[in-house]
Amino acid sequence: MYAEIIIPLALPKNYTWMIPASMEEEIAIGMRVEVMLGANKRYAGIVKNISSKAPEAFTPKPILSVLDDAPIVYEHQLALWQWMAEYYMCTEGEVMQAAIPSHLKISSESVFVLNEQQEQDIKNLSDAEYIISEALEIKKTLSLLEIQKLLDKKSVYPVINKLIQKGICYVQENMKDKYSSKVEIFLSLHAQYKNEAALEKLLNEWTRAPKQLDLLLAFLHYEKTEGSVQQKSILEKASATHAQLKALIDKGILVPEKRKIDRLANDISTGNSSIHSLSKKQENALITLKEQLNTKPVGLLHGITGSGKTQIYVALINEVIKENKQALYMLPEIALTAQMIRRLKQYFGGSIAIYHSKFNPNERVEIWNKVKSGEIKIVLGARSALFLPYKNLSLIVIDEEHDPSYKQQEPAPRYQARDTAIYYANQLKAKVVLGSATPSVETYFNAISKKFGYTYLDERFSKGALPKIELVDTKKQPAGTAILTPQLLASISKTIANNKQVILFQNRRGYAPYLICETCGWIPHCEHCDVTLTYHKAKNLLSCHYCGASYPIVNTCKACGKQNFKQKSFGTEQIEEKLNQSLPGVIVARMDLDNVKGKNEHDQLIQKFEQKQIDILVGTQMVVKGLDFENVDLVGIVDADSLLNFNHYRVNERAFQMMEQVSGRAGRRNDNGTVIIQVSQLQHPIIQFVQQHDYFGFYKFEIQNRKHFSYPPFSRLMSLLFKHKENNIAEEAANHFLQTLTPEIQKTVLGPAQPIVNRVRNKYIWELAIKISKQPQELQLAKKQLLHYIRLLQVHPRYKSVNIIIDIDPN
Ligand code: ADP
Ligand code: ZN
Ligand code: ZN
């Protein structure tokens, strides 16, 4: 017997290995097996197919071992991977890389790290496992090669797999992954003092060390009220030190004990809030949506900001879990999951879990298994949550469906998670609900073409009006007030005086997007990219927002030698500074990539803002999205021109969505919402539509442009990037490639052209943009041809070092 196996690499096809007779019984599709590639590379691959037909061209090598007792993925997942690889023109190995948590991936490049939190129980280890765990104790990390040497065996993955399962080591995916403890220390009273009289005597005769006594009393209190006492939390609650605790332990009064805690344990509480009853309009929308989903695979819930779309999703999800099926709730950004999970936990308690790529690998494996068994019913997550092994998925909610973050940019698979979810749901006979206040042009087009169901919610739940929009002409401001115009400042002061909060949006971080020499016009650029350097004042450096390189501040012009630099334009850091200067005593916080790192910091800031410890939140896109704050009355869009001025067919759509979404954060519970837009192009059609909150006007305007230029949804776009260290080679490769295409396809190609940023990380970029018909057959044919010519280019002596990036349905 032979097995086709997916290994997590970008190989052009899957290879076949031989199944040794001894393994025939234990192997099944969806299990991981250990295989050798080339002379000594080992991978844990996934069995995709089993057949009795031997490959014709060569004799396959045997599979070395079977790693799982049961499949880790369902066959419907493997079918999804295959579709993604075909549609997005990447490999199944790349999809596998994205799809499964690192702990389920083992390869020759893996590094295994001792889990220091775990106490080892030697009795439970086999000889081989014992040898490795001993070596880990000493060296802390081991490479696969080192493990192979230690064991001197042909097959080592089963041993490693067991060690991971037993929690003795973990796979390091990258240096940043920090393992968070699974073991916590709990305290208990020494048996001797469980006797009341003995305890009484101890307390009565206590003379010195009052702090220790305080700690002991606090301990007794919490033990009584909470059952168990965690060392960490009692130290915090009693404001005691480790030394004081140690003294109590040394005296034999308290006993520490390591205990395992289920990482998901906090989640396994039951939801206690009953689901809100819906307003009449919500009720109607729900009924329409459900009716449409009887006949259509996808329904669009178009509801203005604050209309209570979440409440409708909750009602739908509730029906799904009553039938004991699973639901997936997708959000575009990891950052949004934290606020949403707090809302959803109220209803669904422990049957809901969050899943995304920033979770540590152990947690991800736990969730993986619980979704596979069906124990977890609802998953809230970003893109990657689509890849969990659902046992019986029946509903996918895609909230903020218009959001560009649903598209993965780097690395492959460059997939659009919304579109992929729609495909997948179709395969599974599950239903999809897309929700947005500003649906993407494609989605709304599908809705009015009756391909999708459509429901419109035109009223805020609070019945309040949408915020009123004031335009401030930046051309007519006194010098030096372009950032915070007098109107904006006055509104901010008034809002804060009313005890309300403010959000200011500016889509650029840093202090100033560039510096310019006033004498000769020279602008500092990144050495590796064709991009101006952003000035960061607090960090006192210049930074490239494309490759992350940073540089010391330049004072002397490299072109003319003068010291005459001026800062141009402004970013969030400068707005924050200006606010602090203009409004002393007001508490300002900034939310952008520079000062919010990781899901926790983001969530902490959100919570502080929710709790009104912050008056003004200044931020980039991060503040735009789906958050629900009840106390925000004023939103300022500080520089709307920057949203309108770039060269992309989606510029209007993005600008409208961004402004409408950020406006939607204002006045969500009352009638007093105000949005101030600072802009110089007051007559710009998009500004007009935003001012009227007129999605339909915007759509009519935009769909005409799209049709005229035959952009999506009237065609499919595909972008091919040719990257090379040398500009002329990249350009030639793009031209050469173009020449190889058939005349029919050539006609549909734009370019080659250089993108606006034409060099990143020392590679020059040339782009071909291809508009293909949406006819599935034509599309497939075109893709096939393109792939063929790409393969030819990849072996062409002059161009084989050119890096070709294929992006289907690019953002
Ligand atoms: P959207 O996602 O459409 O912008 P949300 O779902 O965030 O709107 O709802 C806006 C606010 O109104 C939320 O705070 C929500 O709790 C409240 N809300 C919406 N519907 C209801 C309802 N049926 N009962 C109680 N509160 C509701
Ligand atoms: Zn100069
Ligand atoms: Zn750079």
Side-chain angles (χ1 to χ4, degrees), residues 30-46:
M31 284 185 186
R32 288 174 307 153
V33 291
E34 175 184 6
V35 293
M36 186 94 90
L37 189 68
N40 58 5
K41 288 279 188 192
R42 283 155 192 262
Y43 292 92
I46 290 189

Side-chain angles (χ1 to χ4, degrees), residues 276-277 282 306-311 343 461 628 668-669:
H276 290 298
S277 49
Q282 287 172 331
S307 57
K309 295 183 286 294
T310 314
Q311 236 52 51
R343 285 176 75 179
F461 175 73
D628 185 34
R668 286 171 77 85
R669 300 292 191 286

Side-chain angles (χ1 to χ4, degrees), residues 698-717:
F698 150 74
Y699 177 81
K700 258 192 224 130
F701 169 82
E702 183 60 17
I703 199 77
Q704 280 168 3
N705 291 333
R706 300 285 177 93
K707 186 158 195 179
H708 187 244
F709 296 104
S710 157
Y711 272 120
F714 299 99
S715 66
R716 274 197 187 286
L717 279 190

Side-chain angles (χ1 to χ4, degrees), residues 526-529 544 546-549 551 761:
C526 178
E527 285 168 20
H528 316 289
C529 314
C544 169
Y546 275 71
C547 71
Y551 302 81
R761 293 177 201 270

Side-chain angles (χ1 to χ4, degrees), residues 588-807:
V588 183
R590 175 158 56 90
M591 186 158 154
D592 58 31
L593 276 178
D594 292 320
N595 71 337
V596 176
K597 300 213 170 61
K599 57 176 183 180
N600 290 332
E601 277 182 73
H602 182 272
D603 193 36
Q604 277 160 14
L605 197 52
I606 299 273
Q607 293 202 41
K608 269 175 112 175
F609 193 60
E610 278 176 346
Q611 291 155 9
K612 308 184 185 124
Q613 296 170 38
I614 295 167
D615 297 313
I616 309 179
L617 189 60
V618 183
T620 52
Q621 311 219 22
M622 282 186 174
V623 298
V624 175
K625 303 191 174 180
L627 298 166
D628 185 34
F629 302 113
E630 57 178 27
N631 201 44
V632 173
D633 270 7
L634 176 67
V635 163
I637 297 173
V638 185
D639 177 17
D641 291 295
S642 69
L643 299 172
L644 298 166
N645 297 343
F646 62 93
N647 180 17
H648 189 284
Y649 81 95
R650 281 191 198 275
V651 59
N652 287 332
E653 179 177 359
R654 294 270 184 270
F656 179 81
Q657 285 162 346
M658 216 142 12
M659 286 190 265
E660 189 60 34
Q661 291 286 344
V662 70
S663 305
R665 304 312 116 210
R668 286 171 77 85
R669 300 292 191 286
N670 58 39
D671 253 339
N672 302 326
T674 302
V675 178
I676 292 190
I677 302 183
Q678 300 188 149
V679 66
S680 72
Q681 310 164 66
L682 278 81
Q683 298 309 320
H684 194 292
I686 294 303
I687 296 291
Q688 300 293 315
F689 295 131
V690 172
Q691 193 173 21
Q692 307 300 326
H693 297 289
D694 184 7
Y695 175 82
F696 304 102
F698 150 74
Y699 177 81
K700 258 192 224 130
F701 169 82
E702 183 60 17
I703 199 77
Q704 280 168 3
N705 291 333
R706 300 285 177 93
K707 186 158 195 179
H708 187 244
F709 296 104
S710 157
Y711 272 120
F714 299 99
S715 66
R716 274 197 187 286
L717 279 190
M718 198 166 145
S719 142
L720 291 182
L721 299 183
F722 298 80
K723 295 190 180 179
H724 200 270
K725 287 197 302 292
E726 290 177 44
N727 190 29
N728 59 334
I729 294 193
E731 182 181 8
E732 270 177 45
N735 272 311
H736 177 87
F737 179 80
L738 181 62
Q739 296 317 317
T740 58
L741 300 176
T742 59
E744 294 88 83
I745 297 192
Q746 277 193 25
K747 267 189 286 181
T748 66
V749 177
L750 304 174
Q754 287 183 293
I756 304 169
V757 175
N758 63 35
R759 189 174 60 116
V760 174
R761 293 177 201 270
N762 293 321
K763 289 202 171 163
Y764 289 89
I765 308 170
W766 284 82
E767 178 176 22
L768 295 178
I770 309 176
K771 285 182 196 164
I772 312 179
S773 140
K774 283 179 82 181
Q775 275 289 318
Q777 270 134 7
E778 278 179 56
L779 184 65
Q780 230 172 359
L781 200 69
K783 279 186 184 168
K784 229 174 117 182
Q785 279 198 21
L786 289 169
L787 211 51
H788 173 71
Y789 294 117
I790 288 170
R791 298 250 190 280
L792 286 183
L793 199 72
Q794 280 166 338
V795 293
H796 190 289
R798 185 162 166 81
Y799 307 123
K800 60 174 186 264
S801 56
V802 175
N803 190 355
I804 305 175
I805 290 176
I806 313 173
D807 195 354

Side-chain angles (χ1 to χ4, degrees), residues 360-457:
N360 85 42
N362 304 283
E363 290 171 311
R364 281 202 272 165
V365 173
E366 273 177 48
I367 297 175
W368 184 276
N369 292 330
K370 287 183 176 175
V371 169
K372 186 161 152 262
S373 70
E375 185 181 332
I376 288 175
K377 297 269 177 275
I378 311 164
V379 176
L380 176 69
R383 291 193 300 261
S384 63
L386 195 56
F387 296 122
L388 283 166
Y390 296 97
K391 195 172 174 213
N392 53 10
L393 186 62
S394 96
L395 174 69
I396 305 179
V397 171
I398 302 178
D399 199 1
E400 313 290 351
E401 67 82 29
H402 62 275
D403 197 296
S405 303
Y406 277 120
K407 180 78 198 292
Q408 168 149 320
Q409 296 294 1
E410 221 27 74
R414 297 183 174 78
Y415 66 107
Q416 199 337 327
R418 172 196 62 209
D419 301 348
T420 306
I422 292 174
Y423 170 84
Y424 193 31
N426 250 312
Q427 300 303 305
L428 299 177
K429 309 259 177 303
K431 298 296 178 184
V432 178
V433 171
L434 306 178
S436 175
T438 53
S440 65
V441 169
E442 288 97 318
T443 295
Y444 188 69
F445 177 82
N446 281 329
I448 54 177
S449 329
K450 301 274 190 297
K451 193 171 152 199
F452 296 169
Y454 177 77
T455 318
Y456 184 50
L457 254 180

